[in-house]
Amino acid sequence: MKTILSYIKEYILSVDKRVLAFVSAFTALFIFLNYYFGLDNRVRNNSFAIKLMAWYVVFAAAFILPYFIYRFITRRRYIHQPRFIILLILAPAIFALKLALDIPLPFLEDKQWNNYWNHIFYWPLLVVIISAILYITWRAFDRDQPFYGLRVKGIVWRPYFLMLLIMLPLVAAASTQHDFLAVYPKLKAIAGVFQDDRVTLWHKLLFELSYGSDFITIELFFRGFLILAFIKWAGKDAILPMACFYCTIHFGKPLGECISSYFGGIILGVIVYNTRSILGGLLVHLGIAWLMELGGYFGNSLSP
């Protein structure tokens, strides 16, 4: 744990405070605009093409503008590198595709249960699609390093379990809040199934495994790709743009979770920058996600 704390301390001391202030203020403005105008709901209820374009605009603003803030404040020159520009434009498109993709499959006539089985297949399918795109990108741009942080060698696992232990009382406290219980567990998104007496423990476990697979996609993209593909040009400067981008994918979730995702993104970015591995961060992220799911189940069972 001391090592991770030293990583964070070193980053806080070295980051340009003017850039940190501007990017943080920009992220706060973005959060305000989303929750005030309901941008995520406006985007979500549209056709594939509109969702793709709208999410691209949101993600491009969140990811590219922080690099321009670095350019104008610190006079960094990496933003003029052609390969850097290609990846800068490509990155928001990849995740916009992830959120815009909706491939309904006709499993059952019952709408709620058909929706359930579509969720079961949706997240693992996205792991395959996004991983394939990132693998092609890695082959084209980054073959001189392991595939975007998928390395086990040298990882000390104990600090990551301690981080989960620290999060436990925070998740427990959140599990008493109405806005949290309105969102978690995620199975509540399939309202008819969540309240169906036919739902067994196995249905819930299968759903949680499928939901958990989405965090493989998220960590591989945000910490693997957005950090490890960009540090050859930007170094530590890659962390803040990633964190701002990462915050935007939490639009629509409880406000506290959205705000904390920015700071969590910075911490996980710092860890990956120093360790060159996403696996510890994946353990923490996935562990917190499943703790929140458990909190949602317990909290909803106790609420009147």
Side-chain angles (χ1 to χ4, degrees), residues 73-150:
I73 292 179
T74 65
R75 303 298 180 185
R76 301 282 200 265
R77 302 294 298 176
Y78 50 72
I79 203 167
H80 301 292
Q81 299 292 328
R83 291 167 70 85
F84 177 86
I85 294 172
I86 292 171
L87 290 179
L88 198 66
I89 295 171
L90 177 64
I94 295 174
F95 214 82
L97 175 65
K98 176 188 183 295
L99 291 196
L101 275 177
D102 186 9
I103 312 171
L105 299 172
F107 290 107
L108 298 169
E109 291 185 3
D110 185 297
K111 289 184 178 180
Q112 279 81 22
W113 280 97
N114 189 66
N115 190 16
Y116 169 84
W117 286 107
N118 269 274
H119 275 76
I120 297 301
F121 279 85
Y122 175 73
W123 284 306
L125 180 61
L126 286 179
V127 175
V128 175
I129 293 172
I130 300 303
S131 296
I133 295 172
L134 292 179
Y135 181 78
I136 293 169
T137 306
W138 171 77
R139 294 277 297 181
F141 290 88
D142 295 295
R143 293 177 64 182
D144 58 332
Q145 64 170 304
F147 178 49
Y148 294 144
L150 293 182

